[in-house]
Amino acid sequence: YKTITVSWSGYYNSFEGSDCLQFKVGTSLINSWCSSITQNSWIPQNVILTDISSFTSSTQFSFVSAMNGASNDLFYIDGINITGVKY
């Protein structure tokens, strides 16, 4: 594949300060969305991956919460789509 796009709808509630949602490929941080993200509303989001030459059939994508200790920070992810463009 030339590129891979991961898209989803996200809903975020009570993100403040350094609270973030991170998107990782393996252990590598690709992008993060923090307290400046639109909250209390479903929003469409995506990540376009172009450096995929090292991907294998066991490559893992993950959404990781990086919250600052509060228990009331919530995020919901729905409708995850993973698509690729072949050479």
Side-chain angles (χ1 to χ4, degrees):
Y1 289 92
K2 184 176 177 181
T3 63
I4 293 176
T5 301
V6 181
S7 58
W8 68 94
S9 292
Y11 187 96
Y12 307 90
N13 178 276
S14 195
F15 277 33
E16 61 269 327
S18 62
D19 295 339
C20 292
L21 172 67
Q22 300 174 339
F23 180 81
K24 293 185 175 186
V25 175
T27 59
S28 298
L29 176 63
I30 303 302
N31 206 341
S32 62
W33 300 269
C34 299
S35 59
S36 62
I37 194 165
T38 300
Q39 299 193 51
N40 300 314
S41 181
W42 285 99
I43 57 172
Q45 294 180 266
N46 68 51
V47 172
I48 300 172
L49 306 168
T50 57
D51 183 16
I52 60 175
S53 59
S54 63
F55 285 16
T56 67
S57 60
S58 61
T59 296
Q60 297 180 1
F61 302 141
S62 58
F63 294 92
V64 179
S65 66
M67 306 306 173
N68 196 12
S71 61
N72 61 343
D73 299 320
L74 304 171
F75 67 89
Y76 304 93
I77 297 171
D78 191 31
I80 298 171
N81 271 327
I82 300 172
T83 56
V85 175
K86 289 186 177 183
Y87 283 99

